[in-house]
Amino acid sequence: MSIYYKLVFGVLVTEIVMFSILALPLPTKIRKPLTLMLIRPFLNDVIQVAIKCMLAFVALLFVDSVNRLYTVQQELEAVNPASSFSGNRMEVLSRKFFAQRNMYLTGITLFLTFVVVRTFNLVRELLQLKDRYQMASPDYDTSGEEKRNAELKKELEAQIAERDAEIQRLQEKAAALEKEI
């Protein structure tokens, strides 16, 4: 396998990993930071241009592999079928195998690129809709802060009421002691 097909295979493995991460049924608390972490590098303009160039290169390799497969198929039909186990026929069959392998490798890489982009957009849209829904719902609390603030207010009011009751009791006791004196 030549170096550029090894690079295409690396891209394919990376896309498989990204798609697997995006397709996992994770809770929103984990999925949102993970999705934001995955998108952060792709927001850079230089990286976007590099990705587009890489996709164009893979598309060219796909077209080349389809063309090569067609050429090898024509050669295979031209080889004398009577000598089915000749060295020439085996060599042509071998080239056909490599041409098919390269075509499938580049084709699935292009296909998975579009699938990953679409899946990522769906996940991002889902997270945005969840955020809008949570903000619109009346029992929305910003990561538990409002709930904690309400609990602290209740605790503070209880302490104030307790302190006022203690002050009232001490004032009554002081008034009783004044009457005795």
Side-chain angles (χ1 to χ4, degrees):
M1 196 179 332
S2 63
I3 185 92
Y4 42 88
Y5 285 113
K6 287 181 182 177
L7 291 173
V8 170
F9 182 72
V11 170
L12 178 65
V13 169
T14 304
E15 288 175 349
I16 289 171
V17 169
M18 287 183 67
F19 179 74
S20 299
I21 290 172
L22 288 173
L24 285 175
L26 298 171
T28 306
K29 289 182 180 181
I30 296 172
R31 181 181 297 273
K32 188 172 183 177
L34 188 62
T35 305
L36 292 175
M37 182 188 72
L38 284 175
I39 192 176
R40 190 171 293 132
F42 297 106
L43 296 177
N44 190 349
D45 290 336
V46 175
I47 292 176
Q48 286 181 355
V49 170
I51 289 172
K52 289 176 184 175
C53 291
M54 180 205 57
L55 286 176
F57 180 69
V58 172
L60 279 172
L61 285 175
F62 178 72
V63 170
D64 180 55
S65 64
V66 169
N67 188 24
R68 187 167 298 163
L69 182 62
Y70 179 73
T71 305
V72 170
Q73 183 65 34
Q74 295 299 322
E75 286 180 27
L76 187 62
E77 290 173 1
V79 172
N80 186 5
S83 59
S84 61
F85 290 108
S86 69
N88 190 23
R89 181 172 171 81
M90 287 302 189
E91 190 263 333
V92 173
L93 286 172
S94 170
R95 286 191 298 142
K96 181 180 179 183
F97 167 76
F98 290 125
Q100 285 176 339
R101 177 202 62 191
N102 294 340
M103 182 187 69
Y104 291 131
L105 177 67
T106 54
I108 195 67
T109 302
L110 287 174
F111 175 74
L112 196 56
T113 299
F114 298 121
V115 168
V116 167
V117 168
R118 183 65 182 141
T119 304
F120 177 75
N121 288 334
L122 287 173
V123 168
R124 191 173 61 185
E125 185 179 333
L126 174 71
L127 291 174
Q128 288 173 351
L129 288 174
K130 280 185 178 181
D131 285 345
R132 283 189 206 154
Y133 176 75
Q134 286 179 347
M135 292 180 90
S137 67
D139 59 340
Y140 173 72
D141 61 320
T142 56
S143 68
E145 288 182 26
E146 290 180 10
K147 190 175 184 180
R148 185 170 179 215
N149 286 342
E151 290 174 3
L152 289 175
K153 282 182 182 180
K154 287 180 184 178
E155 186 177 321
L156 185 62
E157 288 173 1
Q159 288 177 356
I160 289 173
E162 201 175 289
R163 187 186 62 187
D164 288 343
E166 182 69 20
I167 289 174
Q168 185 66 27
R169 188 185 62 80
L170 289 175
Q171 284 177 348
E172 289 174 0
K173 190 175 182 180
L177 287 174
E178 257 184 46
K179 285 183 184 178
E180 285 183 16
I181 298 180

